[in-house]
Amino acid sequence: MSRHLPVSRLHRPHALPCPPSRPVFFRVPTVQPGSLPMTTTDDVLASIRRHGAQAYPEEGCGFLLGTMEEGENQVVDTEPVANRRTENRERRYEITPDDYRAANRVAQARGLAVVGFSPPHPDPPAEPSDTDLEEAAFPGYTYVIISVHGGTPHEITAWTLAADRSEFRPEDISVEQREAL
């Protein structure tokens, strides 16, 4: 059994993952970006909520681990990462190339891949902004954004960066009743 969560439109100022300064190799999605809903579990969504509450009032981020194959975009776990930014941490975050490599190693050790990112947005809505669009680096990956107001997690939305990086496209979130890995 699954249920779908609503998606939202574009809007707010935040930074999604920036390209690393050195090449980092991830598995490239084999599907058309934005063509699949994200399928996950309540446990994964709870993990994203916890990380957002823990990072508040600062911006945080996490990696989404799972599989992205023809007909299925499964997010089965998350890998939180520290915000490496030294200033304006309430509105921006930074992930280092070493963070990407570490998350990729964790995923590969479990037979998974990094399939997206989960940046909590402190206080504004769970929607990507113009800054998100300018700084997003991975077309076809899932960007799960959670709005955290006053330290309490609220709305969760999912987005896919278009192949030409011109826009974020909303993704449905389908929640399956099973346990996370």
Side-chain angles (χ1 to χ4, degrees), residues 11 24 39 48-49 51 56 82 86 89 92-93 120 123 157 168 171 173:
H11 173 262
V24 174
T39 302
I48 292 169
R49 285 184 182 97
H51 181 61
Y56 189 87
T86 58
R89 293 169 57 96
R92 299 284 182 267
Y93 69 89
D123 297 318
T157 59
F168 277 101
E171 282 187 23
I173 300 174

Side-chain angles (χ1 to χ4, degrees), residues 2 17 31 36 56 60 65 76 90 99 103 112 117 126 145-146 150 170 179:
S2 65
V31 296
L36 299 175
Y56 189 87
L65 309 181
V76 299
E90 297 79 20
D99 293 329
L112 303 171
F117 310 93
I145 302 175
I146 180 168
E179 303 235 349

Side-chain angles (χ1 to χ4, degrees), residues 49-61 81 83 89-90 120 122 148:
R49 285 184 182 97
R50 272 191 310 277
H51 181 61
Q54 290 167 350
Y56 189 87
E58 295 181 349
E59 179 101 11
C61 190
V81 63
N83 183 348
R89 293 169 57 96
E90 297 79 20
V148 181

Side-chain angles (χ1 to χ4, degrees), residues 7-12 14-18 33-34 93 116-117 119 121 126-145 157-171:
V7 294
S8 301
R9 300 185 77 127
L10 287 171
H11 173 262
R12 88 169 211 63
H14 256 41
L16 291 176
C18 297
Y93 69 89
F117 310 93
H121 283 186
E127 301 172 348
S129 70
D130 292 340
T131 303
D132 293 334
L133 188 58
E134 290 170 17
E135 295 183 0
F138 296 99
Y141 283 76
T142 296
Y143 292 77
V144 173
I145 302 175
T157 59
W159 306 83
T160 298
L161 182 62
D164 64 2
R165 297 179 61 186
S166 64
E167 67 178 339
F168 277 101
R169 296 178 182 149
E171 282 187 23

Side-chain angles (χ1 to χ4, degrees), residues 10 30 38 46 61 66 73 81 94 118 136 175-176:
L10 287 171
T30 59
M38 181 187 98
C61 190
N73 178 5
V81 63
E94 182 178 323
S118 60
V175 181
E176 292 183 346

